[in-house]
Amino acid sequence: MAKNPISIEVLETLDAIDRRGSFTKAAEELNKATSAVSYAVQKLEGQLDIALFQRQGRRSVLTSAGRLILGEGREILQATARLANKAKEVATGWEPRISIAVESHQSYPAFFSVLGEFLKAHSTVEIDVCESVLNGGWEALEQGWVDLIVGSPGPVPLQKGYRAVPLAHADLVPVVASHHELANVAANAEALQGRLPEVRRVITHDTSIVDITRSAGLSSDGKHFYVQNIDQKVEAIVAGIGVGHLPRQRIQNQLNSGELVELALNECSTFEYYLAWKISHKGKGLQLLTQRLAAVFGETLVPSASPVV
């Protein structure tokens, strides 16, 4: 098989000539003799049997074929630079990629703000985010689909080798739209109990695939309306489709405005949420990220205070 004449070195040469506008200035940047730069270009032109540059006054300008090679070649140069950076990070304990499952109840603005600050300091680490609901986060962690879960509800699965850090509690309150027929008896607990079985429940799908799914909140009796995440659940309830539990901090504005009405069911539930990862994961990126997330979402992460289960 013939050797590929387009090497990383020759791509760097073409890039320098194009940016600097001449062989002489490119040679200065590359710390090479002008003759060496010219020879590299002439050799490639000879091997490919095409012209790569043409003269326009004092400038050396790429031909159409030259622009094609350099355009795709720059992508190769960027990829090799990223590869080199990732190799250095892996060699020093920094993982190239961190996969995260975030529970849909969590505050996305705060979550992405932490990720943004982290990436400013560690720009070559790739972050892959997916959404989880109920048992889905724990399953994703166990199956190795993600490295970290943020805000998955307890209890923490035992003897899985997880390090789990409790986050701030979230109150789930039963609510209905102000224009829903049930809103007329929202303050009457006895009347509500009698009518609830007839009312459609809005439920978020548990994202578990292998494990047993679970639901949280009102009784599972009656009619159901399923959605994929908490944002869809909020909108479905606001639209009057049904009733359901929602995090108080997520809907406080709708409660204040009267768009949503809290039901007098004495069923305000407080759930414990966790930040968790496998103790076997030793990456420095994950370690730093978990510290920042724990500081924002709840308790400050102290190794001795975060149980291994």
Side-chain angles (χ1 to χ4, degrees), residues 51-94:
L52 297 174
F53 286 94
Q54 59 187 5
R55 299 289 298 182
Q56 286 187 0
R58 296 183 178 181
R59 288 183 60 85
S60 296
V61 180
L62 287 164
T63 62
S64 297
R67 285 197 299 272
L68 173 65
I69 290 176
L70 182 56
E72 300 198 13
R74 279 176 170 153
E75 295 181 8
I76 295 173
L77 291 175
Q78 292 171 0
T80 56
R82 289 194 298 268
L83 179 60
N85 288 335
K86 288 180 178 180
K88 291 178 182 178
E89 289 181 341
V90 170
T92 57
W94 286 86

Side-chain angles (χ1 to χ4, degrees), residues 234-254:
V234 171
E235 294 303 324
I237 294 176
V238 167
I241 290 176
V243 60
H245 279 79
L246 290 171
R248 184 181 297 277
Q249 69 272 21
R250 183 71 77 90
I251 58 167
Q252 192 60 58
N253 289 337
Q254 288 98 326

